[in-house]
Amino acid sequence: MLDAAPWRRPFVRPGLFTVGVAVIAAAIFLVGPFWTLLVAIAVPTTYAVYKRPQRGILILAAALPFDGILKQFGPGWTNPWKQVLILGILLATFICPKEARAQVRRRLPGWVPAFAVLLLLGLVSAAFVDLTTALVGLRLSYFSILLAIAIWRCPLDRRDRDQLVTVFVAMGFVTAVIGLWQQVVGYVYLNNLGYQYDTTIRFTDGLTLRSFSTFNLPFPFAYYLMLVVLIGLPFALAEPKRLRSRLFLLSLPVLAVAMFFTFVRGAMLGLAIGLLYLAFHRYKILVYGIPLVLVAALFIPSGAVLTNAAFSNTSLQARTTSWSQRFHDFESHPFGSGIGTTGAAAEKVALEKNTDPNATYVPDSSWLKVMFELGVIGVWFFVAMLISMFLSTRSTERRVHGIDVDFVVAVSAQLLAIMTASFVATYLELVPMDQLFWIMIAIVATMAPELPPRPAIEPHRDDITAPT
């Protein structure tokens, strides 16, 4: 009997393999190879996310840069994939094994009260607009906070955070190469692929193509590269002998050139502010790069087409003119016109109502968008939220150690860059910047020291002896 088991094992495995092949063949015949492949990927992925919802965050971070390709070439039913995945990750935090969840209580981050007021203002203002505008505005403005809730419930550990940095480094290089490839093939080829002029394909002065890579616009591509540099550089300087660090440093010229060809000056300015913070706050070696940049700027030809395209102030003049013309709206509505009445939300509402989206107002500034929609009170608490986020990251930086310090410093630099870029862009309306913003903020919020656990049995008040 003991000798029979080894003879049976070889027949069990081929038997299961045969059954599996038969099931796959039947599935391909009945539903087609696409759906079979989709299920074959979705089932194990769903199980992996159920076991550890943190994996869902990593999957989302890796997939977000390709949202533009999916919107362009994918079937229409895949458009809400981000919302479905975010809701799935949040649901997994409630049903996952206990060891995947936060094991102790923690203090809520200091920015939560300001965000709560912003949410309340958004909900109140939704009562003064039509239902479609309210739903679209609330979704674009507040849906991604569910990612922060999911991360708060199931925090990413140091290994997860390291893998997230690897995702940024890898996706940054891939998207940068694709952006440079677009400059080589040209806008005619891209239009033949299906990309539309004045929507995805855009130009700057001199009919210079603005790279958009795998995104739907040049702007999220540029801001994504900004984020990649600000998260990858601190880790590369902290671990210079690591292979990932060396590859990242070698890829920096590719990232820089790809960002240049987006001609998004807000991303360039935000990156400069973030790098200055890194240089003077922690990584002194970066200070030596400042004179090199200034010297290189002297050799830039002033009359070159690319130079004029990159540093032209035409778009800034158009923005300031638009802002000055719209301030009368704020004067007549000091408490805002309501959530979803400007920016990308208003454009989506116009498309759903079959009206002209070009007739909507896009403020091209997160600060002004909040002011126009939620009024002076809203912009006040928006400023308070961002400042308290920065102060919270600085506080967390003083309480962590090792490589975690570099992660928190990188997020602080990103916050300064985002605050700067938000003056000339509706940053938190861009995909994937909105989602990645809340991911990074929530991760830092879970890295603060833990509160001491409550006693198992609270002592009765009469049993407490007063001090003598």
Side-chain angles (χ1 to χ4, degrees), residues 357-370:
N358 295 321
T360 60
Y361 177 57
V362 180
D364 287 322
S365 170
S366 293
W367 306 94
L368 292 181
K369 175 181 170 58
V370 175

Side-chain angles (χ1 to χ4, degrees), residues 38-68:
L38 184 64
V39 172
I41 295 175
V43 170
T45 301
T46 302
Y47 179 75
V49 173
Y50 154 73
K51 295 292 289 185
R52 288 197 83 243
Q54 294 87 340
R55 294 170 182 153
I57 299 296
L58 299 177
I59 293 172
L60 179 65
L64 279 171
F66 301 99
D67 178 65

Side-chain angles (χ1 to χ4, degrees), residues 245 407 451:
S245 301
F407 188 94
L451 290 173

Side-chain angles (χ1 to χ4, degrees), residues 361-385:
Y361 177 57
V362 180
D364 287 322
S365 170
S366 293
W367 306 94
L368 292 181
K369 175 181 170 58
V370 175
M371 185 178 73
F372 287 139
E373 291 189 355
L374 302 181
V376 63
I377 300 176
V379 75
W380 173 267
F381 280 98
F382 183 66
V383 172
M385 182 187 74

Side-chain angles (χ1 to χ4, degrees), residues 8-22:
R8 284 199 295 266
R9 291 194 192 109
F11 291 98
V12 172
R13 292 175 182 173
L16 291 175
F17 176 76
T18 303
V19 172
V21 171

Side-chain angles (χ1 to χ4, degrees), residues 65 70 136 151 207 221 229 267 292 296 305 317 322 348 410 427 444:
L70 194 59
V136 173
I151 293 173
L207 285 180
F221 176 37
V229 173
L292 296 178
V305 175
Q317 291 176 350
S322 173
K348 289 181 180 293
Y427 185 93
V444 172

